[in-house]
Amino acid sequence: MELTALDFIVFFVFVVGVALFGCSFYRKSSKGTAAFTKAEGTIPTWVVGMSIFATFVSSISFLGLPGGSYAGNWNQLIFSFTIPVATYLAAKVFIPLYRGVGSVSAYQYLEQRYGYWARCYVAICYLLTQVCRVGSILLLLAIPINTMFGWDIGTIIVVTGIITLVYSVLGGISAVVWTDAIQGIILIIGALLCALILTFNMPEGPSQLFSIAAANGKFSLGGLGATLREPTVWVVLIYGIFMNMQNYGIDQNYVQRYMTAKSTGEAVKGTLFGGLLYIPVSLVFVYIGTALYSYYTACPDLLPEGTAGDKVFPYFIVHGLPTGLTGLVIASLFSAGMSTVATSINSSATIVFTDFYKKIKRIGDGEEKKSHMTVLYVTSAVVGVVGILIGLAMMKIDGVLDAWWKLSSIFSGGMLGLFLLSLVCRKVNRPAAVAAVVVGLMVIAYMSLPVFHSPLHTYLTIVFGTTAIFLVGFILTKIFDKFQTK
């Protein structure tokens, strides 16, 4: 089955509708910087939760999870099982901490502990990560859309980037979280429909799907060996714990959503809802990959020979779904990418304004001028344009997803390690923190840069980088404190 006019109509109506809906928040977001960056704390709990969920899910999840389970097993699901740990810490530690500090920036706390250098360092790392994230997501979104529609990849990157930039600039954080909520709902509906259609379209019924998958080890969670070279259960488990602590603990995308809620209690409820929702949804995605494997094993003539694992789901969307539903699922895929890009644009603009512009201009909290909104608008536009340019540049790179993981590992710079150090060590020792960051960056460079040929799996970069910063900082702080007390 090929794409029909109905599929195109459904797709375009959704995309245009989301963009217009986002733009409709202009009057509310233009009231001031507090409205633009945290919606003045007026967002309903369920919207905060859906926004956190949609922030977690991107086009990488939409295509990567089914592609991974199609080619392998359910190893990636281990990552989802670590989310309860992170959401618990968010509820007990992170959310009360940030709401207590009162700043929309995730990094003001580090300045209070270690000085402006720490805030500046982490903010720069975050901005570098986000512009690379925007470029990577735009490209990873454009590739399947190119496969489905046949449109030029560069054109898709530019158009998608501009559409998302327009509504995120005009609507501010209100537009971002409300469109996130809508996009998240559509994404869940699309995934569930795909899973059901695959299950009941098996030639011999649903039982055939499970028998084929079980016979080929598709329900395995991975190996239990002690190696650190492969994504074993233990490697993915420890990676998930550290990565999710970074997401819920210091990622501006999440912290900003904590601040949009009406109260600390509402922020906690929304975070728990959004985080825990990802677990069953990720299960649906890995199930789709397994179902695709069984479906095309039972019906091999329906899949062109040599189709790569990450392209099987896009192929099924175009050729295996009923008319109209294809357009809806493509729209849900598109929405996952738009949600991620809009989030990165708004959060990056917020960081530039709060962590750099306000500090340079020595602007006090609550002080409002028209020029402040101009800074937020211009910065949003710059981040969006730079992200588009990075996406276009990455078209020449083989293995975009692998490149993104390496870039994010390098630019994240062990931010979590410094944050954990600040929480655990009551006494502040800035030289110890600086030395710890330097050591951590050396560890991250060793594990990330191909010139060093690290024997450890890429997933462990954040683990060893964070641990190095925390341990070195903790030990040096104790040593310096001991000498100072003599």
Side-chain angles (χ1 to χ4, degrees):
M1 184 179 297
E2 301 294 336
L3 291 172
T4 65
L6 180 59
D7 294 314
F8 281 94
I9 291 172
V10 170
F11 174 76
F12 282 113
V13 166
F14 175 82
V15 173
V16 173
V18 166
L20 292 176
F21 179 66
C23 292
S24 70
F25 288 94
Y26 173 72
R27 181 173 296 179
K28 181 177 181 179
S29 71
S30 62
K31 291 180 179 179
T33 57
F36 187 91
T37 59
K38 59 181 181 180
E40 298 179 314
T42 60
I43 302 299
T45 304
W46 75 271
V47 177
V48 173
M50 285 302 301
S51 180
I52 288 175
F53 164 76
T55 298
F56 211 97
V57 179
S58 68
S59 48
I60 295 176
S61 301
F62 199 105
L63 299 175
L65 290 178
S69 58
Y70 174 88
N73 50 37
W74 285 19
N75 177 252
Q76 297 170 95
L77 197 59
I78 297 294
F79 180 87
S80 300
F81 294 159
T82 65
I83 290 178
V85 176
T87 54
Y88 175 80
L89 289 174
K92 294 296 184 179
V93 180
F94 303 140
I95 295 175
L97 172 66
Y98 289 121
R99 299 275 306 191
V101 170
S103 173
V104 72
S105 168
Y107 312 125
Q108 181 169 317
Y109 172 74
L110 287 177
E111 180 183 8
Q112 294 175 354
R113 295 287 286 157
Y114 294 116
Y116 183 62
W117 74 268
R119 181 178 185 175
C120 185
Y121 156 70
V122 175
I124 290 174
C125 290
Y126 178 79
L127 291 173
L128 290 172
T129 303
Q130 293 308 299
V131 292
C132 290
R133 187 187 192 203
V134 170
S136 301
I137 294 297
L138 287 174
L139 177 55
L140 289 167
L141 177 62
I143 292 174
I145 296 297
N146 165 263
T147 302
M148 297 171 184
F149 290 117
W151 299 338
D152 176 69
I153 291 179
T155 302
I156 298 172
I157 291 173
V158 173
V159 173
T160 305
I162 291 175
I163 291 174
T164 309
L165 175 60
V166 168
Y167 81 72
S168 60
V169 168
L170 293 179
I173 192 65
S174 294
V176 172
V177 295
W178 276 99
T179 54
D180 276 355
I182 295 173
Q183 291 161 339
I185 293 170
I186 297 297
L187 182 145
I188 293 172
I189 292 173
L192 287 173
L193 290 175
C194 286
L196 290 172
I197 289 172
L198 281 165
T199 301
F200 293 100
N201 269 9
M202 295 295 295
E204 298 177 16
S207 61
Q208 185 185 20
L209 186 157
F210 293 96
S211 61
I212 292 175
N216 290 275
K218 290 298 177 179
F219 295 122
S220 170
L221 293 176
L224 296 173
T227 178
L228 298 180
R229 294 175 178 268
E230 304 295 331
T232 62
V233 169
W234 314 118
V235 168
V236 178
L237 184 67
I238 192 68
Y239 165 75
I241 291 174
F242 276 74
M243 196 68 208
N244 283 317
M245 277 201 299
Q246 177 165 299
N247 288 334
Y248 285 91
I250 63 171
D251 193 318
Q252 177 66 21
N253 292 326
Y254 292 78
V255 174
Q256 204 163 336
R257 277 151 181 76
Y258 302 160
M259 304 304 291
T260 63
K262 297 177 181 179
S263 66
T264 299
E266 296 301 299
V268 167
K269 292 177 184 178
T271 301
L272 291 174
F273 168 63
L276 298 179
L277 177 62
Y278 182 78
I279 299 175
V281 174
S282 63
L283 176 61
V284 172
F285 279 125
V286 295
Y287 173 79
I288 287 173
T290 300
L292 286 167
Y293 178 87
S294 297
Y295 179 71
Y296 286 121
T297 297
C299 309
D301 295 338
L302 298 180
L303 182 68
E305 188 175 350
T307 303
D310 58 353
K311 294 184 178 179
V312 173
F313 190 29
Y315 182 86
F316 173 78
I317 291 173
V318 175
H319 300 279
L321 294 178
T323 299
L325 182 56
T326 297
L328 177 66
V329 175
I330 294 175
S332 65
L333 166 60
F334 204 76
S335 70
M338 290 174 65
S339 170
T340 306
V341 171
T343 294
S344 293
I345 290 173
N346 185 270
S347 64
S348 297
T350 300
I351 287 299
V352 171
F353 178 73
T354 58
D355 292 39
F356 296 102
Y357 183 79
K358 286 182 69 174
K359 296 294 294 185
I360 293 172
K361 296 292 185 179
R362 298 182 180 179
I363 299 170
D365 292 336
E367 184 179 342
E368 292 286 349
K369 293 182 180 179
K370 289 184 178 180
S371 60
H372 299 172
M373 291 302 299
T374 302
V375 171
L376 287 169
Y377 292 145
V378 171
T379 305
S380 298
V382 170
V383 172
V385 170
V386 172
I388 291 172
L389 293 176
I390 291 176
L392 294 173
M394 293 182 75
M395 289 172 59
K396 301 177 182 179
I397 299 176
D398 292 328
V400 177
L401 188 55
D402 183 59
W404 156 242
W405 283 120
K406 285 184 169 59
L407 287 171
S408 63
S409 296
I410 294 171
F411 290 145
S412 63
M415 296 185 291
L416 178 61
L418 185 59
F419 183 80
L420 293 177
L421 181 65
S422 71
L423 289 177
V424 173
C425 291
R426 294 184 178 181
K427 290 190 176 181
V428 174
N429 189 291
R430 294 179 182 177
V434 173
V437 169
V438 172
V439 173
L441 288 176
M442 292 172 63
V443 172
I444 291 167
Y446 168 73
M447 295 187 64
S448 302
L449 299 178
V451 67
F452 294 114
H453 304 290
S454 171
L456 304 173
H457 195 276
T458 306
Y459 285 172
L460 295 174
T461 301
I462 185 176
V463 177
F464 282 94
T466 297
T467 304
I469 290 177
F470 177 77
L471 289 180
V472 171
F474 183 81
I475 293 171
L476 289 180
T477 297
K478 294 300 181 182
I479 292 174
F480 290 158
D481 182 53
K482 184 177 181 180
F483 278 104
Q484 289 172 356
T485 54
K486 287 185 178 181

